[in-house]
Amino acid sequence: MPVETLQSIAAEIRVCEKCELFRTRTHAVPGEGNPFAEIMFIGEGPGFNEDQQGRPFIGAGGQLLTEMLRVIGINREDVFITNVVRSRPPGNRDPLPVELAACDEYTVRQIAVLQPKLIVTLGRFSMARFFGPRARISQIHGQTCLWEGITCLAMYHPAAILRNNSPQMRQMYADDFRLIPPLIESLTVPIAPPPPPPTPEEPPTVLDQMRLF
Ligand code: SF4
């Protein structure tokens, strides 16, 4: 069986017809980024611009995401970005449960290949996937959970911050992003130093020799 890669998953997604969203999309949006990324961002679904170009987070929300990453010294190219649905819901409506369920297989497979240290959920649909359906973004943004041994961090979707457009929300968003570097550091297992070379056996002292008799 061929080894699965992010490219092979992306190729499948581009021609995927597993849910009705394929009928109205222009391009499916598999996700993009560093195949060795430690951090994976998972948003909601493609918007107009993303659908036109087949790339995730390239509109105003994407610009805010890139800006926030810059605040914490991370380049967008260093992370991997995808969505819980990869074809645009018409008119940017919420994805339906059946669509979320159909596309979830790709989320799981991308995570399995990437094996990120940290998954950052952007918005309520992605949050619900990892934190459970009862989670409320206003209450748990900035908090973490463990999913299949991977740490997940809940954050607002950048579009929600743009909609609100208040300095307080922007500040709160930047503060949530500032949680990422220390989290990544705490998740990095330090490489144990090599054990010291064995010390040569000490010759028995005169006292030891006397005890033998
Ligand atoms: S949203 Fe996901 S499952 Fe539905 S057609 Fe697009 S890629 Fe396939």
Side-chain angles (χ1 to χ4, degrees):
M1 200 172 131
V3 178
E4 179 147 271
T5 62
L6 291 170
Q7 289 97 322
S8 63
I9 299 170
E12 255 184 73
I13 291 170
R14 286 192 193 98
V15 295
C16 176
E17 299 183 357
K18 288 197 326 153
C19 80
E20 290 297 301
L21 290 180
F22 91 90
R23 296 187 188 282
T24 45
R25 75 182 175 213
T26 312
H27 295 106
V29 182
E32 66 182 27
N34 187 333
F36 303 104
E38 295 184 326
I39 310 170
M40 182 177 191
F41 285 85
I42 305 181
E44 184 174 317
F48 176 81
N49 292 305
E50 290 78 12
D51 175 69
Q52 291 294 304
Q53 296 191 35
R55 297 184 54 212
F57 283 89
I58 52 166
Q63 279 172 21
L64 180 58
L65 176 64
T66 306
E67 187 188 317
M68 288 292 135
L69 285 171
R70 220 177 285 132
V71 165
I72 56 170
I74 294 177
N75 289 322
R76 182 185 157 114
E77 295 71 34
D78 295 335
V79 303
F80 190 84
I81 307 173
T82 189
N83 288 301
V84 283
V85 291
R86 293 160 179 81
S87 302
R88 184 190 182 208
N92 287 357
R93 66 155 168 77
D94 287 347
L96 302 174
V98 68
E99 295 157 357
L100 289 161
C103 215
D104 191 60
E105 173 202 328
Y106 298 123
T107 305
V108 172
R109 286 166 60 192
Q110 285 177 326
I111 292 170
V113 172
L114 201 60
Q115 297 193 8
K117 279 190 186 144
L118 179 67
I119 292 172
V120 181
T121 65
L122 298 173
R124 61 199 166 103
F125 289 99
S126 174
M127 174 197 65
R129 169 64 183 86
F130 296 93
F131 286 77
R134 308 184 99 163
R136 293 284 164 271
I137 190 72
S138 56
Q139 289 163 3
I140 70 153
H141 70 90
Q143 294 183 23
T144 58
C145 74
L146 261 190
W147 177 86
E148 306 267 321
I150 302 172
T151 301
C152 303
L153 174 65
M155 285 209 199
Y156 277 96
H157 195 283
I161 305 299
L162 291 172
R163 267 197 306 275
N164 180 284
N165 201 25
S166 74
Q168 291 84 354
M169 277 295 268
R170 283 220 173 210
Q171 183 61 48
M172 178 275 298
Y173 208 39
D175 289 344
D176 280 354
F177 269 81
R178 287 194 184 94
L179 297 170
I180 293 177
L183 247 182
I184 285 291
E185 203 168 325
S186 72
L187 295 169
T188 304
V189 182
I191 298 167
T199 49
E201 254 179 45
E202 296 281 324
T205 63
V206 175
L207 197 64
D208 289 337
Q209 287 174 18
M210 284 172 69
R211 279 197 196 109
L212 291 173
F213 298 101

